[in-house]
Amino acid sequence: MELNTIERDDLGAAAEDLVVPPAATRKVFVKTYGCQMNVYDSQRMTDALAIDGYAATDAIGEADLVLLNTCHIREKAAEKVYSELGRIRELKAERAKAGREMLVGVAGCVAQAEGAEIIRRSPAVDLVIGPQTYHRLPAVLAKARSGEKIVETDYAVEDKFEHLPQPKRAELIRRGVTAFLTVQEGCDKFCTFCVVPYTRGSEVSRPVAQIVAEAERLADAGVREVTLLGQNVNAWHGRGEDSEEWGLGRLLFRLAEIPGLARLRYTTSHPRDMDDELIAAHRDLPALMPYLHLPVQSGSDRILKAMNRRHMAKDYLTLIDRIRAARNDIALSGDFIVGFPGETEADFEATMQLVKDVNYASAFSFKYSPRPGTPGAEMNDQVPEAVKDERLQRLQALLLKQQRHFGASLVGRTIDTLVEKPGRQAGQKVGRSPWLQPVIVDEKAGEIGDIIQVRITKTGYNSLFAELA
Ligand code: SAH
Ligand code: SF4
Ligand code: F3S
């Protein structure tokens, strides 16, 4: 067995004491925080590392490399990383005592936002790598293994997707019948509360050919449902195979032609970028699932303006009407922020009213978290924590009621379900409804990857129970 020795003076061990295993036996543990884009990126990093000789592991204790793929969206999300790094530091010290090397990397949006500061706060960290530079990971690791601390957060000029290796077909099959596919990165909207334009950079659309090729690979590996991802996914645009400029609607029609792909979704959308063609796709494209995540954040025009959302509450409601006219069984989901600076009780009531007007099938709601470097953090009239707490509780109670109501409305109906994986309990399988709910069925109801017709018998906490129709 070939042994590599490296120098690590911060561990207090002599260079020749520390041993790294040869490439083929190295293991990487990846922990993912934040949004689906990070889930996708973690997979692509794992793919890049597989070529570099790292096998993925779920056991942090046996990892030669620990990668945290982090989120900076709210303070809590970012702070989680530091408490995790505290635990990892102890683990790393134990490993060093046992004479084995463990590299620690921080990727994702905290990496981009805080850079070298992370290594200052957590000396156990060996490398910091921003979301646009993952294709450089093997090179960065080679340097880190030789003892250098690396911070790689430049926005790469080259396209990371073009340089990231594709996973093996067997690996895609292992990942299951639903998949994410990032089509757009970054954001140019600059909402005043949000870090994304700073952590992910400006908006970039992946080219049509690259997306189609990736979707074909997924379909070839048995994937039935693909969710297109972007922080502003409906702003995606690109030159199509006919040399015309395509929007997301056209792209969806193209992807629906791929044999095997039965279901398409996209997330997350901005209300300003819902164009006619995309709305028409909801009417004319059966593969496009009748579920739309369309965040509005607030129902108050004053607050929407201060947030730089660039539309009014009425615009959003009109848009919802148009989308529902195109596809009447569409279920809506949203994001809300309570306690943005200057939010009065009347502003909050406007949000409650908008929620009542729209009637959501599901939603996410958050207390405003001032983020360093964003305009919102500098605003004067910050809302007290206790007020935010109280408003969040009221909003969540209303949203939960709507979500329950939506679930209950499906009981007795016959719907399509994509059989996705074995259930937690023996004898069961879990499927996915058109509206993203888990559907619990008997394991004999269908094979994984089948789309079956089921009748909903009752609702669970977050799921539906069903029998073969
Ligand atoms: N691109 C999406 C949102 C991405 S962030 C959009 O434009 O809608 C996901 C959600 O996190 C946001 O919709 C918002 O509700 C929430 N969020 C973002 N920044 C926040 C902050 N500073 N405090 C609290 N919630 C925040
Ligand atoms: Fe953030 Fe606004 Fe961009 Fe969404 S649209 S990612 S909330 S800046
Ligand atoms: Fe978080 Fe970055 Fe996604 S800040 S929400 S992981 S784009």
Side-chain angles (χ1 to χ4, degrees):
M1 193 166 82
E2 181 195 301
L3 298 177
N4 307 317
T5 57
I6 60 159
E7 260 177 34
R8 306 292 315 174
D9 37 299
D10 58 321
L11 292 175
E16 40 311 341
D17 290 347
L18 283 172
V19 173
V20 287
T25 61
R26 288 185 198 131
K27 289 195 171 142
V28 57
F29 172 88
V30 183
K31 183 162 180 173
T32 309
Y33 303 81
C35 65
Q36 293 102 324
M37 301 192 68
N38 266 9
V39 175
Y40 176 85
D41 282 347
S42 288
Q43 289 179 344
R44 298 301 299 267
M45 281 193 276
T46 310
D47 301 336
L49 289 167
I51 290 187
D52 208 25
Y54 284 92
T57 176
D58 293 334
I60 190 169
E62 60 179 38
D64 304 291
L65 168 64
V66 173
L67 260 186
L68 303 182
N69 193 7
T70 62
C71 174
H72 202 246
I73 203 83
R74 286 167 290 275
E75 191 181 355
K76 252 194 200 154
E79 283 307 313
K80 262 189 212 159
V81 175
Y82 287 101
S83 43
E84 185 68 26
L85 285 172
R87 286 190 288 274
I88 289 171
R89 184 183 194 170
E90 287 170 26
L91 199 63
K92 182 171 174 166
E94 276 170 35
R95 290 277 303 237
K97 267 190 223 144
R100 192 117 183 232
E101 160 92 333
M102 185 172 106
L103 287 178
V104 179
V106 175
C109 292
V110 177
Q112 189 63 45
E114 299 187 4
E117 170 69 11
I118 299 172
I119 294 181
R120 208 188 52 74
R121 260 182 86 174
S122 299
V125 174
D126 301 287
L127 60 118
V128 173
I129 184 161
Q132 305 310 343
T133 44
Y134 294 152
H135 53 295
R136 298 187 189 157
L137 195 54
V140 165
L141 271 171
K143 279 197 208 162
R145 277 197 297 266
S146 71
E148 207 180 315
K149 297 254 179 195
I150 321 278
V151 178
E152 181 83 45
T153 51
D154 286 346
Y155 287 132
V157 270
E158 67 270 27
D159 172 10
K160 80 167 173 188
F161 296 108
E162 211 177 310
H163 292 86
L164 275 169
Q166 288 287 343
K168 294 222 164 69
R169 185 164 180 270
E171 176 58 19
L172 285 180
I173 293 171
R174 197 191 61 77
R175 286 178 191 169
V177 295
T178 61
F180 291 135
L181 199 176
T182 294
V183 299
Q184 182 265 331
E185 275 272 0
C187 179
D188 294 337
K189 292 273 191 302
F190 290 92
C191 302
T192 53
F193 52 82
C194 185
V195 294
V196 171
Y198 312 97
T199 62
R200 293 264 167 181
S202 51
E203 246 172 69
V204 179
S205 292
R206 287 180 73 185
V208 173
Q210 225 185 62
I211 296 167
V212 170
E214 191 165 326
E216 283 173 345
R217 286 179 65 95
L218 292 170
D220 177 57
V223 168
R224 307 300 315 277
E225 176 176 311
V226 168
T227 304
L228 306 183
L229 299 180
Q231 276 301 350
N232 234 313
V233 70
N234 56 347
W236 178 90
H237 59 95
R239 194 158 302 278
E241 291 146 336
D242 54 4
S243 300
E244 304 228 334
E245 187 69 8
W246 290 9
L248 190 68
R250 279 294 290 281
L251 181 67
L252 285 162
F253 273 99
R254 173 65 183 88
L255 296 177
E257 288 170 9
I258 297 174
L261 282 193
R263 290 175 152 200
L264 296 169
R265 305 176 185 275
Y266 60 94
T267 198
T268 297
S269 297
H270 192 288
R272 287 269 303 214
D273 295 319
M274 285 302 295
D275 64 14
D276 292 344
E277 197 175 30
L278 188 52
I279 295 174
H282 280 284
R283 185 189 60 218
D284 301 330
L285 189 60
L288 184 54
M289 290 294 98
Y291 178 90
L292 177 62
H293 184 64
L294 194 61
V296 64
Q297 317 298 352
S298 169
S300 154
D301 287 340
R302 224 172 53 81
I303 296 298
L304 285 170
K305 189 159 195 293
M307 286 176 163
N308 192 31
R309 292 291 290 184
R310 297 188 254 178
H311 67 79
M312 296 200 284
K314 176 173 60 55
D315 303 323
Y316 182 80
L317 293 173
T318 310
L319 176 61
I320 299 286
D321 286 345
R322 283 171 57 215
I323 295 166
R324 280 188 167 141
R327 176 100 202 220
N328 64 7
D329 68 341
I330 201 158
L332 289 155
S333 151
D335 288 343
F336 296 90
I337 294 177
V338 300
F340 185 79
E343 186 188 75
T344 63
E345 184 59 26
D347 293 320
F348 175 68
E349 278 304 335
T351 299
M352 294 289 277
Q353 188 56 50
L354 178 139
V355 170
K356 286 174 196 154
D357 291 343
V358 172
N359 194 14
Y360 288 92
S362 78
F364 303 89
S365 45
F366 313 97
K367 286 189 283 181
Y368 171 66
S369 169
R371 305 305 290 129
T374 61
E378 307 296 316
M379 292 179 185
N380 288 326
D381 29 13
Q382 300 286 330
V383 174
E385 211 49 33
V387 176
K388 289 186 200 170
D389 277 326
E390 190 263 340
R391 287 180 189 164
L392 186 67
Q393 273 184 32
R394 275 154 68 197
L395 177 60
Q396 290 189 335
L398 175 61
L399 290 167
L400 187 65
K401 203 169 98 187
Q402 294 188 344
Q403 185 178 336
R404 292 280 149 77
H405 190 263
F406 177 66
S409 75
L410 296 173
V411 174
R413 279 186 56 187
T414 298
I415 65 165
D416 280 351
T417 294
L418 168 61
V419 183
E420 207 188 344
K421 55 191 172 194
R424 240 176 275 160
Q425 281 175 33
Q428 293 181 338
K429 280 200 180 100
V430 186
R432 204 183 257 204
S433 82
W435 307 281
L436 270 188
Q437 299 122 311
V439 182
I440 320 282
V441 292
D442 186 275
E443 66 176 346
K444 292 188 205 76
E447 296 303 317
I448 290 171
D450 288 352
I451 293 174
I452 57 174
Q453 288 239 304
V454 299
R455 203 180 64 84
I456 306 300
T457 52
K458 61 175 182 175
T459 60
Y461 185 71
N462 259 326
S463 53
L464 302 169
F465 290 84
E467 58 193 20
L468 211 51

